[in-house]
């Protein structure tokens, strides 16, 4: 595996590969990899001749009050995981290299970014879209793989690519879970042993909503109340940031379940803010 850290090097290498007729699949990450990232790399390996993984903790998607400085980091482990998963090129630029001091250009999809995580993280998706656009411009991937755990992120990136005619195919990959059902996330590292033992109840709460929908419950308010009650009973220390039933494409909030919908949640537990989602249907 080749490791490149300057913008000039990655740009030059990828443009040489494209000139040779090679296809490229990109897996953008912020490092501290887990099996969910490995599944994205495995998918990328099936799609293209060359797999590029970026490893960059993007400062512009963190608000000043958030965990940028504390974000978990283990370069050696990440290097061996990316290499073992079949990565050809690892791109890991230093933060100062990715943004000019007077960076002034942003890519935004405000309509899709205003709800769900956007309520408590109003500048987050603008940072994500901007860094993903920069990575696309540097690497020129034919495919880019993103996990369905970050459902809003995936939907926003698909829309950005469609609206701006970016020449890349976005590939959504299934959420990967721990054996007990907890959605894999680098931020699970923040959980204490006790919190980690209770965290799978987030998934169980969502499965409970799926059961309610199958039994005929269509009211979003009743589903939200049931999730809140389930969490209060099973993880009293947790605080729900949001639970929201939305249209799977537009992310518009739904009052009533018609056919199918995504229920997305964010739950604070100790120092972690945990995301999960489920596609429910009648
Ligand atoms: O999902 C992530 O890890 C990040 O938001 C991404 C897509 C790598 C952009 O920094």
């Amino acid at each position: 595996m080749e490791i490149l850290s300057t913008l000039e090097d990655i740009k030059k290498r990828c443009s040489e590969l494209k000139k040779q007729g090679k296809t490229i699949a990109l897996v953008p990450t912020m490092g501290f990899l887990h099996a969910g990232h490995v599944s994205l790399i495995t998918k990328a390996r099936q799609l293209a001749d060359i797999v590029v993984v970026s490893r960059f903790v993007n400062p512009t998607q963190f608000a000043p009050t958030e965990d940028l400085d504390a974000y978990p980091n283990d370069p050696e482990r990440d290097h061996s995981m990316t290499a073992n998963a079949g990565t050809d090129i690892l791109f890991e630029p230093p933060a100062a290299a990715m943004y000019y001091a007077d960076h002034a250009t942003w890519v935004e999809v405000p309509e899709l970014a205003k709800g769900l995580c956007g309520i408590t993280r109003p500048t987050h998706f603008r940072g994500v879209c901007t860094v993903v656009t920069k990575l696309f411009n540097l690497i020129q991937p034919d495919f880019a793989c993103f996990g369905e755990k970050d459902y809003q992120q995936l939907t926003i990136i698909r829309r950005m690519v469609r609206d701006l005619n970016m020449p890349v195919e976005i590939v959504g990959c299934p959420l990967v879970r721990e054996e007990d059902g907890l959605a894999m996330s680098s931020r699970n590292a923040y959980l204490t042993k006790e919190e980690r033992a209770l965290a799978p109840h987030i998934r169980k709460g969502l499965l409970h909503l799926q059961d309610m929908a199958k039994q005929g419950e269509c009211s979003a308010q009743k589903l939200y109340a049931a999730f809140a009650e389930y969490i209060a009973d099973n993880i009293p220390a947790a605080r729900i940031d949001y639970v929201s039933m939305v249209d799977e494409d537009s992310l518009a909030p739904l009052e009533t379940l018609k056919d199918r919908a995504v229920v997305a949640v964010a739950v604070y537990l100790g120092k972690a803010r945990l995301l999960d989602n489920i596609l429910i249907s009648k």
Side-chain angles (χ1 to χ4, degrees):
M1 182 178 76
E2 210 174 333
I3 301 182
L4 301 177
S5 57
T6 72
L7 276 57
E8 295 70 29
D9 285 349
I10 190 75
K11 214 173 159 181
K12 190 161 165 271
R13 188 78 185 94
C14 290
S15 106
E16 277 164 13
L17 289 162
K18 299 290 288 191
K19 278 188 197 132
Q20 290 164 19
K22 305 277 190 212
T23 54
I24 299 179
L26 169 67
V27 179
T29 82
M30 297 209 298
F32 208 68
L33 304 186
H34 51 67
H37 296 110
V38 172
S39 78
L40 301 181
I41 301 172
T42 306
K43 182 67 191 174
R45 191 63 287 161
Q46 292 162 4
L47 291 168
D49 301 320
I50 303 293
V51 174
V52 179
V53 174
S54 62
R55 181 179 172 276
F56 176 65
V57 183
N58 173 37
T60 64
Q61 67 190 71
F62 291 78
T65 50
E66 292 178 351
D67 58 342
L68 173 63
D69 294 332
Y71 199 80
N73 183 25
D74 189 341
E76 277 175 29
R77 192 167 144 274
D78 284 352
H79 289 182
S80 71
M81 280 178 84
T82 41
N84 292 340
T87 304
D88 298 298
I89 302 174
L90 178 63
F91 175 51
E92 44 178 20
M98 267 307 262
Y99 290 97
Y100 291 98
D102 59 351
H103 176 94
T105 307
W106 299 100
V107 185
E108 289 190 77
V109 189
E111 188 55 31
L112 300 190
K114 66 184 182 193
L116 306 172
C117 289
I119 296 169
T120 43
R121 307 188 77 192
T123 56
H124 172 68
F125 290 111
R126 158 187 117 146
V128 171
C129 288
T130 302
V131 80
V132 168
T133 302
K134 285 164 74 67
L135 291 168
F136 287 175
N137 287 339
L138 291 164
I139 294 164
Q140 303 173 52
D142 300 276
F143 305 93
C145 301
F146 294 87
E148 287 173 354
K149 189 199 65 129
D150 298 303
Y151 190 82
Q152 187 177 16
Q153 169 172 282
L154 173 62
T155 310
I156 287 174
I157 288 169
R158 281 193 201 287
R159 185 69 69 90
M160 170 186 87
V161 163
R162 188 203 74 175
D163 288 354
L164 299 181
N165 311 100
M166 293 181 175
V168 53
E169 186 181 321
I170 301 303
V171 180
C173 301
L175 194 160
V176 178
R177 299 184 179 280
E178 302 285 356
E179 267 179 29
D180 58 11
L182 176 65
M184 285 199 185
S185 164
S186 305
R187 289 186 167 99
N188 291 350
Y190 297 150
L191 298 171
T192 63
K193 209 170 152 215
E194 292 72 26
E195 289 161 354
R196 173 65 191 80
L198 295 174
H201 281 298
I202 297 170
R203 164 73 169 162
K204 289 185 185 145
L206 288 175
L207 290 171
H208 176 52
L209 302 192
Q210 166 69 95
D211 289 345
M212 287 176 69
K214 288 275 178 227
Q215 284 159 27
E217 184 55 74
C218 297
S219 153
Q221 291 308 324
K222 291 207 174 126
L223 294 172
Y224 300 165
F227 185 75
E229 194 182 332
Y230 184 90
I231 294 297
D233 288 349
N234 292 285
I235 332 179
R239 184 166 66 80
I240 297 173
D241 177 11
Y242 66 79
V243 44
S244 192
M245 183 167 81
V246 295
D247 178 86
E248 57 188 305
D249 299 316
S250 70
L251 302 181
L254 301 172
E255 285 295 314
T256 309
L257 176 64
K258 297 244 158 51
D259 180 16
R260 32 193 249 161
V262 170
V263 178
V265 296
V267 175
Y268 292 103
L269 183 54
K271 288 194 186 129
R273 181 172 171 279
L274 305 172
L275 301 187
D276 206 338
N277 63 74
I278 191 167
L279 184 65
I280 63 168
S281 54
K282 284 189 184 179

